[in-house]
């Protein structure tokens, strides 16, 4: 197979010292490079022609040894980031090593290079670096190729170059042009697939791509062999020359309505009596055709789903996908690859989300479908309306008093009280950042500070800071309490006449002798009355206080191990292992049932007294549906038994009915 006439004409003219077509001759070179007629020099650099004195030979798969006054032996690139905002800006650099035969002391060595397919030609001079022996020297070129940015479309597709050396009144060219920086071909790798894709055209799937080959000889053939049935049968299509050393191919595959699973192919290059393959190291190149669907959905160890369920689908195909739609059971089709649905009102049993992908274009394409099935079992249910003060501010702490008053720690405002009859009262602000809240029977509010230190603040019922508590209203948990202290405080609760704080020492230090998490009880005046170490691998995240018995029992939720520890009298007296993988962030109990806000699949989960799973409600990561929670954190219980999950993102409490 021969190249286009204009290209061949340029190559033959250069090789024989003649003229070239005018379109090539209009390109110019710097004066120092015009020892060879300018048009011929540019034609050789831009077209990859083979000068008459070059005599390449190639065996089947053997590397070819090049001789001549100058040749490129190695190249590479790097870039330096200049800055990033919406996108990054960088300087692109590349380097080339040349082997130059030492025919004269005075030499001019360099390269011509282009980043836009020879529409613009640049010159870069090389510098002597070392003696290579056998009469050759190594010369090197470092080139700043300019500034590029993500917003400007990224860097160049490739940089092509041709090497020259001027010695003793003659200019010599590397006989095998062009060379490439990013996707080079060489004697050792003479054929390279540059790009390939599959598409739907005129109702059929087609494979197309570009190939680059090393210019061993004037006559050459590039072909693509492909199969859609794992090589039971195969076909072959010839590539056509595009420009320089690049070729392109296009192969019909199958009707769009009967797509095979994939196409597998390899590229063959024949030149100078040799044959070379690009078959991806024996694995062959592949494109997926008929899509397989991958689904992302809640994984709860096979438990039926309930709540806000989010199911996403990805059509695994290399064909272009114009759009995806979905529907639940036999409902209406909706645009999008993610279905967000509520199981409230759905019958217990199996349901299905079907996804439909449009392959190709809307006008000329084909539909492919896949479905995801899941079981529903509704036990927990959201109540309406949510408890919502309407401010929309993020909140980080919540507590509910015995009379139904709600206390919130609101971003930018501090503690705010919301009585059942309406209205609000902002409490006196404090210097620390409060993370969790508790309220005692007298209406005093406790706030757990986790920045800049670890401390507990107390407010009087009228909203003023209780300056008789701790040091001016602040009990410093960093101080020593009977030889113990905190370097982390994570949860707070009031019950059985005591203030309970979970956290402890997670590193060794002067106040962290044990280096273990703990639960600590303080009396009304802030004095430590009980210290209980928890297992070293525990991560206390929530507290629930049972007032029965002397001093009460503190139940601690382990956010790392899914355990509940019962603490009484300075010791862990019981442990409940919650079934499944559970990461509690909130804890409450009603009628012998444990409820936890689980940070794993983001849900409200119910367990019996022994930790066996009973039911759950998925929050779905959205506040747009009843029972949906964007960022769940704490769990509270009103005296009437209803549960409340703090939605940090929306500054509200999402209400749920307990199990009957």
């Amino acid at each position: 197979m021969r190249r286009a006439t204009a290209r061949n004409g340029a190559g033959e003219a250069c090789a024989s010292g003649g003229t070239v077509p005018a379109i090539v001759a209009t390109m110019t070179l710097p004066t120092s490079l015009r020892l060879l007629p300018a048009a011929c020099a540019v034609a050789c650099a831009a077209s990859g022609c083979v000068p008459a004195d070059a005599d390449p030979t190639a065996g089947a798969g053997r590397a070819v040894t090049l001789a001549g006054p100058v040749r490129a032996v190695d190249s590479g690139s790097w870039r330096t980031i200049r800055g990033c905002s919406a996108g990054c800006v960088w300087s692109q650099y590349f380097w080339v090593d040349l082997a130059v035969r030492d025919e004269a002391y005075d030499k001019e060595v360099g390269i011509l290079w282009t980043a836009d397919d020879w529409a613009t030609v640049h010159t870069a001079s090389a510098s002597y670096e070392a003696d290579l022996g056998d009469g050759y020297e190594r010369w090197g070129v470092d080139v700043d190729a300019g500034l590029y940015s993500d917003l400007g479309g990224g860097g160049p597709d490739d940089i092509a170059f041709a090497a020259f050396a001027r010695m003793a009144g003659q200019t010599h060219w590397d006989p095998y042009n062009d060379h490439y920086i990013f996707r080079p071909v060489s004697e050792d790798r003479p054929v390279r697939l540059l790009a390939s894709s599959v598409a739907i055209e005129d109702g059929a799937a087609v494979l197309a791509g570009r190939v680059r080959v090393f210019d061993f000889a004037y006559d050459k053939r590039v072909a693509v062999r492909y199969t859609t049935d794992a090589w039971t049968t195969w076909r072959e299509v010839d590539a056509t020359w595009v420009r320089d050393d690049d070729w392109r191919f296009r192969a019909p595959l199958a009707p769009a309505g009967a797509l095979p699973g994939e196409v597998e192919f390899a590229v063959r290059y024949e030149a100078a009596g040799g044959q070379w393959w690009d078959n991806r190291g024996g694995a062959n190149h592949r494109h997926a055709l008929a899509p397989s669907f991958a689904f992302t959905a809640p994984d709860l160890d096979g438990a039926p789903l309930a709540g806000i369920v989010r199911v996403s689908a990805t059509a695994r195909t290399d064909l272009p996908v114009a759009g995806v739609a979905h529907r639940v059971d036999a409902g209406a089709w909706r645009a999008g690859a993610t279905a967000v649905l509520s199981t409230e009102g759905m019958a217990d049993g199996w349901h299905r989300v079907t996804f439909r992908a449009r392959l190709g274009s809307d006008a000329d394409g084909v539909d492919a479908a896949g479905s995801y099935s899941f079981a529903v079992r509704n036990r927990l249910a959201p109540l309406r309306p949510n408890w919502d003060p309407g401010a929309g501010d993020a909140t980080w702490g919540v507590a509910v008093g015995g009379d139904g008053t709600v206390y919130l720690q609101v971003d930018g405002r501090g503690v705010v009280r919301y009585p059942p009859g309406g209205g609000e009262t902002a409490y006196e602000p404090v210097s620390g950042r409060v993370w969790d809240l508790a309220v005692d029977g007298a209406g005093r509010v406790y706030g757990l500070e986790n920045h800049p230190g670890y401390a507990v603040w107390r407010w009087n019922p009228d909203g003023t800071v209780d300056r008789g508590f701790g040091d001016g209203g602040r009990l410093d948990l960093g101080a020593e309490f009977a030889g113990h202290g905190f370097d982390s405080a994570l949860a707070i609760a009031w019950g059985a006449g005591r203030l309970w704080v979970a956290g402890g020492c997670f590193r060794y230090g002067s106040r962290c002798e044990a280096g273990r998490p703990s639960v600590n009880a303080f009396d009304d005046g802030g004095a430590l009355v009980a210290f209980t170490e928890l297992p070293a691998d525990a991560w206390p995240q929530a507290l629930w206080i049972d007032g029965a018995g002397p001093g009460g029992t503190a139940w601690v939720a382990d956010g790392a191990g899914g355990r509940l520890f019962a603490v009484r009298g300075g010791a862990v007296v019981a442990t409940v292992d919650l079934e499944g993988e559970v990461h509690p962030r909130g804890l409450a109990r009603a009628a012998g049932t444990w409820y936890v806000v689980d940070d794993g699949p983001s849900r409200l989960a119910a367990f019996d007294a022994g930790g066996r799973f009973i039911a759950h409600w998925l929050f779905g990561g959205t506040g747009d549906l009843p029972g949906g929670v964007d960022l769940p954190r704490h769990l509270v219980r009103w005296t009437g038994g209803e549960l409340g999950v703090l939605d940090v993102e929306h500054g509200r409490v999402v209400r749920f009915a307990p199990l009957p």
Side-chain angles (χ1 to χ4, degrees):
M1 181 176 292
R2 292 182 175 271
R3 302 181 181 183
T5 303
R7 163 116 180 198
N8 291 342
E12 292 167 356
C14 284
S16 63
T19 60
V20 298
I23 190 170
V24 178
T26 56
M27 300 175 68
T28 59
L29 287 175
T31 304
S32 62
L33 301 182
R34 292 180 184 169
L35 297 182
L36 193 68
C40 290
V42 174
C44 283
S47 69
C49 65
V50 181
D53 60 352
D55 183 22
T57 58
R62 292 187 295 108
V64 177
T65 301
L66 301 180
V70 58
R71 54 180 172 155
V73 294
D74 202 1
S75 63
S77 66
W78 78 97
R79 66 181 189 176
T80 301
I81 301 296
R82 298 303 183 188
C84 293
S85 182
C88 289
V89 177
W90 69 88
S91 293
Q92 180 67 61
Y93 301 92
F94 70 93
W95 57 270
V96 177
D97 281 348
L98 306 172
V100 180
R101 193 161 59 203
D102 190 11
E103 295 183 353
Y105 179 78
D106 292 323
K107 303 179 183 70
E108 290 184 33
V109 181
I111 62 171
L112 296 183
W113 66 274
T114 180
D116 55 11
D117 295 325
W118 299 104
T120 306
V121 181
H122 308 274
T123 305
S125 297
S127 301
Y128 172 83
E129 292 183 347
D131 185 3
L132 295 176
D134 295 329
Y136 279 87
E137 300 171 338
R138 188 179 76 220
W139 290 64
V141 183
D142 291 337
V143 180
D144 182 349
L147 286 173
Y148 295 90
S149 72
D150 296 326
L151 298 179
D157 180 63
D158 213 333
I159 295 174
F161 69 91
F164 67 87
R166 178 187 176 189
M167 299 176 288
Q170 289 188 317
T171 298
H172 306 276
W173 293 88
D174 183 333
Y176 293 96
N177 298 310
D178 299 334
H179 298 283
Y180 300 90
I181 294 298
F182 299 136
R183 291 171 292 179
V185 286
S186 65
E187 304 162 75
D188 297 325
R189 185 181 180 178
V191 56
R192 185 183 193 123
L193 179 69
L194 296 181
S196 63
S197 63
V198 287
I200 301 292
E201 297 178 5
D202 299 325
V206 295
L207 168 69
R210 292 191 300 129
V211 177
R212 179 168 291 163
V213 298
F214 191 71
D215 199 1
F216 279 132
Y218 175 73
D219 292 316
K220 54 179 64 70
R221 182 185 182 217
V222 181
V224 174
R225 183 174 295 183
Y226 63 99
T227 180
T228 57
D229 56 13
W231 301 108
T232 300
T233 61
W234 55 268
R235 289 183 287 176
E236 197 165 270
V237 63
D238 284 331
T240 57
W241 176 77
V242 180
R243 64 176 180 271
D244 302 331
D245 299 314
D246 291 356
W247 299 64
R248 67 185 173 195
F249 62 89
R250 184 179 183 277
L253 299 177
L259 291 174
E262 70 172 2
V263 59
E264 189 175 350
F265 66 99
V267 182
R268 189 175 79 252
Y269 172 39
E270 298 174 357
Q275 177 177 274
W276 298 266
W277 289 87
D278 180 353
N279 59 5
R280 205 164 65 91
N284 293 326
H285 302 283
R286 301 169 186 267
H287 281 295
L289 297 174
S292 61
F293 286 84
F295 302 103
T296 302
D299 181 9
L300 300 173
D301 298 325
L305 304 182
I308 311 302
V309 177
R310 183 183 295 266
V311 182
S312 299
T314 301
R316 292 178 173 173
T317 178
D318 292 325
L319 289 166
V321 177
V324 178
H326 67 270
R327 69 176 181 180
V328 180
D329 294 330
W333 287 99
R334 298 178 180 273
T338 299
V340 181
L341 60 103
S342 174
T343 66
E344 189 177 21
M346 296 177 69
D348 287 354
W350 287 94
H351 297 266
R352 175 180 297 175
V353 181
T354 302
F355 293 89
R356 183 179 64 193
R358 183 69 171 176
L359 306 179
S361 65
D362 288 330
D364 181 18
V366 62
D367 289 333
S371 62
Y372 177 82
S373 297
F374 60 97
V376 168
R377 184 170 180 262
N378 288 310
R379 295 288 303 280
L380 289 168
L383 296 173
R384 293 174 175 80
N386 294 323
W387 186 90
D388 190 348
D393 298 311
T395 55
W396 294 101
V398 61
V400 176
D403 62 351
T405 297
V406 177
Y407 303 85
L408 293 181
Q409 167 62 29
V410 182
D411 254 5
R413 300 183 63 194
V415 177
V416 182
R417 180 180 65 199
Y418 299 91
E424 63 178 57
T425 300
Y427 278 28
E428 182 180 346
V430 296
S431 57
R433 183 180 65 189
V434 173
W435 163 257
D436 197 5
L437 297 177
V439 59
D440 64 19
R444 295 176 299 186
V445 175
Y446 300 82
L448 182 62
E449 174 190 318
N450 68 350
H451 183 79
Y454 295 98
V456 177
W457 292 87
R458 187 164 77 184
W459 289 267
N460 295 311
D462 63 0
T464 60
V465 172
D466 183 356
R467 287 174 172 76
F469 178 75
D471 182 9
R474 182 179 185 271
L475 180 65
D476 184 6
L477 298 177
E480 291 192 17
F481 296 100
H484 303 286
F486 287 80
D487 70 1
S488 181
L490 301 170
I492 189 173
W494 176 270
R498 293 179 174 180
L499 173 67
W500 302 81
V501 179
C505 295
F506 293 95
R507 65 173 184 266
Y508 285 97
S510 61
R511 296 193 303 271
C512 293
E513 298 173 0
R516 296 175 65 171
S518 62
V519 177
N520 303 268
F522 300 88
D523 65 15
D524 186 73
L528 181 69
V529 295
F531 170 87
T532 307
E533 286 187 347
L534 299 175
D537 60 346
W539 188 31
Q541 287 288 297
L543 288 164
W544 179 261
I545 310 304
D546 182 353
T553 300
W555 287 89
V556 189
D558 172 16
R563 297 166 292 183
L564 305 180
F565 301 111
V567 173
R568 184 171 61 247
V572 176
V573 296
T575 300
V576 175
D577 289 306
L578 301 177
E579 182 181 359
E581 185 174 348
V582 186
H583 302 279
R585 294 294 183 270
L587 180 65
R589 189 168 67 177
T593 299
W594 287 111
Y595 297 90
V596 301
V597 172
D598 184 4
D599 199 34
S602 189
R603 61 177 177 166
L604 175 64
F607 301 85
D608 67 14
R612 185 177 64 88
F613 172 76
I614 301 174
H616 59 200
W617 178 273
L618 297 167
F619 296 135
T622 176
D624 297 333
L625 294 173
V629 182
D630 267 333
L631 183 57
R633 186 52 56 182
H634 304 292
L635 181 61
V636 295
R637 185 169 71 90
W638 276 267
T639 54
E642 67 185 65
L643 304 166
V645 178
L646 179 64
D647 186 346
V648 172
E649 188 73 20
H650 292 95
R652 63 188 179 185
V653 180
V654 181
R655 300 164 56 237
F656 291 87
L659 293 174

